[in-house]
Amino acid sequence: MKTVAVVGVQWGDEGKGKIVDLLAADADVVVRFQGGNNAAHTLVVDGEKFILRMIPAGALQGKVCVIGNGMVVDPLALVEEIDGLKRRGRALSPADLKISYDAHLILPYHGAIDRAREARLGGRAIGTTGFGIGPAYEDKMARVGLRFEDMNERAAFAERLERNAREKNALLKGVLKAAPLKVTELVEQVLRARNRLRPYLCDTAAYVREAIGAGRRVLFEGAHGVMLDIDHGTYPYVTSSNCGASAVFGGAGVAPGQLDGVLGISKAYATRVGGGPFPSEMSGALADSLRDEGAEFGSATGRPRRIGWFDAVLARHAVRLNGMVGLAVTKLDVLTGIDPLKICVGYESGKTRFDEVPASRRLLAKVKPVYETLPGWSDDVSGARNLGDLPVNARRYLARIAELSGTRLMMVGVGAGREAAIVIENPFAD
Ligand code: IMP
Ligand code: MG
């Protein structure tokens, strides 16, 4: 395949960053097409840890990175991200990083609105990252958002920014009962970021189209996961974008026929950060030990992640929706020593059994999981580089996950480092 999209099967944090970094070795261009800095892709390269928020994970392989039009971008945070990489010897020039003119801006008032709304929701809060993702996408859809293109004319941009900020301050003060922002300071900050980012702006859809036309390999890097998808996830406990493969077309500006395949990424167990249904959630000592073992604390916000067993019902839903040709299962090593292991294979509500996600997402919050039990393993798997290096029970567990999900196993992650992986089938192999 020449063009591959990597999509999260669960609620984000599946380890997409690691898989993208690994696959990027064989790609020419890596494209983000949705979401913003609510994402946080953690990569460990030569023992050094990097967290990328908006810059595609291909940056550490020295590939061309594209911030597509479907993303929402916080210009202040992006400047910080670029500077952070530069400080660590990974400077990105405009030849390395291309930002779409059409991408919408997340501005400081979006974050303030996001946080004020969440605070007012109290116990019903979504548990957002608080970075203004929802309010920025709202402005986009309401056709009042500012885009990178608007930066072209400094005076007109400053004027619109100021007008928006005053309007949002009225909302913050009058309706949300939150502190307003200092408008002059806000405008100055954003204008400074404007000067830094302008050299990177271009028509990224044309760039990607030409790359594909020239036969180059393009990797589309999804953020979050299918269960956080605005349409197909656990609404309203979702993020404000489509997180599946369908978003590649709108969010990167490529035609449907130009995407050769979709690879799903799933952890060997499940996690979720924020509120909302999680049928296979577990609690107690096992959850705590998995959280510690798997370092399951949000990379964007530091929040402890909720922990659960692998949910095959949701995985099947994600595989089908996205036509996933294969699955990369990450963090297998974290399950070492846990015996027995459980896989959620269905749900029950009263006498009703569900083998598929119930149409009512409210019901999903009430169902009881039905588990299948499998024997675990105790040997360290972190050094495995071939399926044959794994204990037989680990292989059985993986095979069962793939079978229940309705797709084939293509990769397995056995540790945090770039090298800690088993590649059964490389999607970029001809
Ligand atoms: P928002 O995207 O900040 O609006 O947050 C909405 C929901 O999506 C919350 O439950 C967040 O915790 C969750 N979320 C957003 N991005 C990610 C991610 O990259 N990983 C895990 N959860 C995420
Ligand atoms: Mg993450």
Side-chain angles (χ1 to χ4, degrees):
M1 295 192 284
K2 292 271 195 196
T3 56
V4 177
V6 159
V7 169
V9 167
Q10 301 168 313
W11 284 279
D13 305 317
E14 296 93 349
K16 292 181 295 294
K18 177 202 160 97
I19 300 291
V20 168
D21 168 60
L22 215 155
L23 291 178
D26 294 314
D28 300 300
V29 183
V30 184
V31 185
R32 274 273 311 260
F33 51 92
Q34 46 76 228
N37 53 334
N38 48 348
H41 292 165
T42 308
L43 299 91
V44 179
V45 178
D46 300 329
E48 218 187 321
K49 181 170 158 180
F50 293 85
I51 295 181
L52 297 176
R53 312 284 283 268
M54 287 166 288
I55 296 173
L60 299 185
Q61 294 275 18
K63 301 305 166 95
V64 179
C65 286
V66 174
I67 290 183
N69 61 276
M71 284 187 71
V72 283
V73 179
D74 179 334
L76 310 180
L78 183 57
V79 167
E80 255 176 55
E81 202 171 321
I82 292 171
D83 288 348
L85 282 177
K86 188 174 177 194
R87 279 195 297 274
R88 297 172 74 178
R90 311 261 180 176
L92 295 173
S93 75
D96 307 313
L97 176 68
K98 304 192 179 295
I99 305 173
S100 170
Y101 276 121
D102 293 327
H104 275 253
L105 301 177
I106 306 175
L107 293 156
Y109 44 76
H110 291 128
I113 293 168
D114 190 1
R115 293 187 292 273
R117 283 203 188 126
E118 285 281 281
R120 285 167 69 83
L121 279 170
R124 286 180 301 117
I126 294 167
T128 70
T129 56
F131 297 151
I133 307 300
Y137 273 119
E138 273 172 53
D139 277 3
K140 171 177 177 172
M141 292 310 179
R143 299 159 296 179
V144 297
L146 288 170
R147 298 177 307 150
F148 277 108
E149 187 197 344
D150 299 315
M151 287 183 169
N152 277 342
E153 287 171 50
R154 190 180 188 281
F157 177 66
E159 195 188 307
R160 282 189 63 191
L161 186 57
E162 186 174 331
R163 199 174 347 125
N164 278 8
R166 292 199 189 288
E167 221 178 274
K168 303 294 185 189
N169 268 349
L171 170 71
L172 279 165
K173 243 174 32 187
V175 181
L176 299 174
K177 312 294 176 211
L181 300 174
K182 294 193 177 104
V183 176
T184 315
E185 216 169 274
L186 181 156
V187 172
E188 276 168 14
Q189 269 182 332
V190 176
L191 286 178
R192 273 198 299 275
R194 166 192 179 267
N195 296 341
R196 294 286 312 280
L197 296 177
R198 282 191 72 207
Y200 296 96
L201 303 183
C202 72
D203 181 344
T204 55
Y207 178 82
V208 174
R209 190 170 58 238
E210 278 162 27
I212 296 174
R216 298 170 78 199
R217 287 177 169 152
V218 182
L219 182 58
F220 296 95
E221 174 183 351
H224 330 302
V226 172
M227 295 318 296
L228 287 174
D229 183 287
I230 185 85
D231 285 295
H232 302 290
T234 51
Y235 191 91
Y237 297 96
V238 292
T239 190
S240 295
S241 63
N242 283 118
C243 315
S246 69
V248 168
F249 312 119
V254 303
Q258 290 180 311
L259 181 62
D260 294 336
V262 182
L263 177 68
I265 316 294
S266 172
K267 258 191 270 226
Y269 48 98
T271 64
R272 169 163 209 170
V273 57
F278 187 176
S280 67
E281 185 168 16
M282 55 168 109
S283 56
L286 185 53
D288 292 341
S289 107
L290 273 170
R291 186 177 301 110
D292 284 343
E293 201 58 37
E296 297 295 357
F297 296 87
S299 358
T301 56
R303 293 179 289 176
R305 296 178 183 146
R306 298 158 68 191
I307 311 281
W309 296 109
F310 182 85
D311 187 332
V313 182
L314 297 184
R316 208 157 48 235
H317 171 72
V319 165
R320 235 180 354 226
L321 265 172
N322 291 278
M324 289 168 179
V325 297
L327 207 57
V329 176
T330 61
K331 293 189 142 180
L332 184 73
D333 52 304
V334 177
L335 292 183
T336 299
I338 297 171
D339 198 3
L341 294 165
K342 291 185 193 176
I343 297 178
C344 174
V345 293
Y347 309 130
E348 274 171 359
S349 172
K351 288 201 167 59
T352 315
R353 156 99 186 209
F354 297 90
D355 295 311
E356 301 298 340
V357 185
S360 158
R361 298 293 192 267
R362 282 206 178 82
L363 189 55
L364 196 63
K366 296 188 196 136
V367 293
K368 299 261 176 297
V370 177
Y371 289 118
E372 187 175 294
T373 301
L374 278 85
W377 59 90
S378 53
D379 297 344
D380 179 17
V381 296
S382 58
R385 297 295 175 266
N386 294 292
L387 269 186
D389 299 338
L390 292 174
V392 63
N393 285 347
R395 269 180 285 161
R396 278 199 196 126
Y397 181 75
L398 290 169
R400 189 65 182 136
I401 280 183
E403 183 186 15
L404 287 165
S405 308
T407 189
R408 61 183 195 268
L409 188 65
M410 291 178 88
M411 300 169 87
V412 184
V414 292
R418 181 187 273 172
E419 66 295 337
I422 299 171
V423 181
I424 302 153
E425 218 178 307
N426 183 333
F428 280 121
D430 292 320

XYZ file of all heavy atoms in Angstrom, residues 11-13 16 38-41 114 126-134 223-224 228 237-240 272-275 303, ligand 1:
243
model
N -10.593 4.621 22.876
C -10.865 6.008 23.302
C -9.608 6.861 23.240
O -9.408 7.732 24.066
C -11.416 6.006 24.726
C -12.833 5.578 24.840
C -13.942 6.348 24.604
C -13.335 4.296 25.255
N -15.086 5.623 24.825
C -14.748 4.371 25.239
C -12.727 3.114 25.644
C -15.559 3.294 25.588
C -13.531 2.042 25.986
C -14.922 2.133 25.958
N -8.760 6.608 22.275
C -7.497 7.335 22.216
C -6.466 6.667 23.112
O -6.782 5.702 23.822
N -5.241 7.161 23.026
C -4.134 6.634 23.843
C -3.845 5.168 23.553
O -3.380 4.434 24.422
C -4.418 6.809 25.350
C -4.719 8.253 25.682
O -4.010 9.109 25.163
O -5.668 8.502 26.438
N -0.850 5.145 19.227
C -0.733 5.483 17.800
C 0.592 6.158 17.492
O 1.183 5.927 16.442
C -1.876 6.399 17.369
C -3.234 5.714 17.373
C -4.330 6.655 16.912
C -4.541 7.803 17.860
N -5.066 7.430 19.180
N -5.464 18.391 21.955
C -6.063 17.425 22.886
C -5.367 16.076 22.715
O -5.338 15.264 23.625
C -7.584 17.308 22.688
C -8.010 17.145 21.241
O -7.219 17.333 20.319
N -9.263 16.809 21.027
N -4.805 15.846 21.551
C -4.027 14.629 21.326
C -2.647 14.799 21.947
O -2.164 15.912 22.096
C -3.874 14.369 19.838
N -2.050 13.711 22.312
C -0.682 13.746 22.819
C -0.077 12.407 22.471
O -0.440 11.392 23.042
C -0.676 13.968 24.330
N 0.778 12.403 21.491
C 1.364 11.152 21.034
C 2.758 10.995 21.646
O 3.638 11.807 21.424
C 1.387 11.114 19.509
C -0.008 11.014 18.936
N -0.312 11.255 17.627
C -1.167 10.682 19.534
C -1.622 11.071 17.440
N -2.155 10.736 18.584
N -14.257 26.505 27.122
C -14.252 25.058 27.369
C -14.212 24.790 28.877
O -15.047 24.056 29.434
C -13.002 24.467 26.664
C -12.969 22.941 26.622
O -13.920 22.298 27.109
O -11.981 22.387 26.096
N -17.951 16.525 30.649
C -17.450 15.573 29.656
C -16.060 15.090 30.067
O -15.661 13.980 29.757
C -17.385 16.263 28.268
C -18.810 16.609 27.803
C -16.689 15.392 27.230
C -18.863 17.552 26.620
N -15.371 15.944 30.819
C -13.971 15.611 31.143
C -13.068 15.963 29.978
O -12.158 15.213 29.639
N -13.311 17.109 29.353
C -12.480 17.510 28.207
C -11.067 17.815 28.677
O -10.809 17.947 29.874
C -13.019 18.793 27.515
O -12.816 19.908 28.391
C -14.493 18.669 27.161
N -10.185 17.977 27.715
C -8.815 18.346 28.060
C -8.753 19.810 28.491
O -7.745 20.242 29.049
C -7.881 18.138 26.844
O -8.404 18.905 25.747
C -7.810 16.677 26.445
N -9.785 20.575 28.197
C -9.810 21.995 28.571
C -9.003 22.872 27.633
O -8.734 24.029 27.929
N -8.629 22.331 26.479
C -7.787 23.091 25.554
C -8.586 23.857 24.496
O -8.012 24.401 23.559
C -6.773 22.164 24.862
C -5.800 21.529 25.816
C -5.245 20.282 25.547
C -5.436 22.170 26.994
C -4.342 19.688 26.431
C -4.536 21.590 27.885
C -3.985 20.338 27.603
N -9.909 23.836 24.594
C -10.703 24.658 23.676
C -11.068 23.985 22.361
O -11.463 24.655 21.399
N -10.952 22.671 22.313
C -11.201 21.939 21.066
C -12.656 22.118 20.601
O -12.918 22.514 19.456
C -10.901 20.424 21.252
C -9.498 20.207 21.823
C -11.131 19.657 19.949
C -8.354 20.740 21.005
N -13.601 21.836 21.507
C -15.018 21.936 21.154
C -15.388 23.347 20.700
O -15.916 23.532 19.596
N -5.934 10.922 15.315
C -5.770 11.211 16.743
C -7.031 10.734 17.458
O -8.065 10.537 16.825
C -5.560 12.695 16.958
N -6.920 10.541 18.769
C -8.045 10.041 19.583
C -8.448 8.637 19.106
O -7.596 7.886 18.684
C -9.229 11.015 19.570
C -8.801 12.437 19.412
N -7.938 13.031 20.290
C -9.049 13.360 18.453
C -7.699 14.270 19.883
N -8.349 14.492 18.775
N -14.358 8.033 20.504
C -14.453 9.470 20.799
C -14.942 10.248 19.594
O -15.006 11.474 19.612
C -13.084 10.013 21.237
C -12.582 9.631 22.629
C -11.155 10.130 22.838
C -13.487 10.183 23.724
N -20.098 12.180 25.273
C -18.762 12.021 25.866
C -17.757 11.686 24.767
O -17.237 10.572 24.706
C -18.796 10.948 26.951
C -19.708 11.340 28.091
C -21.029 10.894 28.145
C -19.268 12.202 29.089
C -21.876 11.284 29.172
C -20.094 12.600 30.114
C -21.406 12.141 30.156
O -22.231 12.543 31.171
N -17.536 12.637 23.905
C -16.699 12.450 22.719
C -15.894 13.730 22.498
O -16.105 14.720 23.198
C -17.576 12.177 21.475
C -18.268 10.828 21.571
C -18.608 13.283 21.264
N -15.045 13.706 21.514
C -14.382 14.937 21.118
C -15.165 15.536 19.948
O -16.120 14.925 19.460
C -12.887 14.707 20.795
O -12.254 15.986 20.648
C -12.685 13.863 19.549
N -14.780 16.718 19.497
C -15.638 17.436 18.540
C -15.248 17.223 17.085
O -15.518 18.084 16.250
C -15.640 18.925 18.883
O -16.238 19.109 20.144
N -9.653 4.733 29.217
C -10.438 5.897 28.824
C -10.094 7.020 29.795
O -9.958 6.770 31.004
C -11.928 5.535 28.892
C -12.836 6.719 28.757
C -14.269 6.402 28.413
N -14.709 7.578 27.688
C -15.832 7.716 27.027
N -16.694 6.743 26.992
N -16.110 8.826 26.393
N -9.979 8.228 29.301
C -9.768 9.370 30.182
C -10.924 10.332 29.950
O -11.335 10.544 28.828
C -8.354 9.991 29.994
C -8.098 10.414 28.579
C -8.130 11.147 30.940
N -11.511 10.821 31.049
C -12.708 11.648 30.921
C -13.944 10.813 31.224
O -13.848 9.604 31.504
N -15.113 11.457 31.162
C -16.358 10.774 31.528
C -16.904 9.920 30.405
O -16.332 9.847 29.317
N -4.026 13.319 33.838
C -5.095 12.654 34.602
C -4.898 11.136 34.604
O -4.500 10.561 33.594
C -6.466 12.954 33.969
C -6.868 14.402 34.073
C -8.205 14.642 33.403
N -8.119 14.557 31.948
C -9.166 14.662 31.141
N -10.374 14.827 31.631
N -9.009 14.598 29.835
P -11.800 17.336 24.159
O -11.309 16.639 22.939
O -10.720 18.076 24.897
O -12.999 18.174 23.898
O -12.272 16.205 25.200
C -13.388 15.388 24.955
C -13.173 13.975 25.449
O -12.205 13.354 24.627
C -12.625 13.860 26.869
O -13.114 12.677 27.453
C -11.122 13.746 26.652
O -10.485 13.108 27.733
C -11.134 12.880 25.413
N -9.912 13.004 24.599
C -9.643 13.941 23.674
N -8.473 13.694 23.082
C -8.000 12.565 23.623
C -6.819 11.783 23.384
O -5.989 12.076 22.535
N -6.674 10.674 24.154
C -7.600 10.310 25.068
N -8.711 11.007 25.312
C -8.904 12.119 24.591
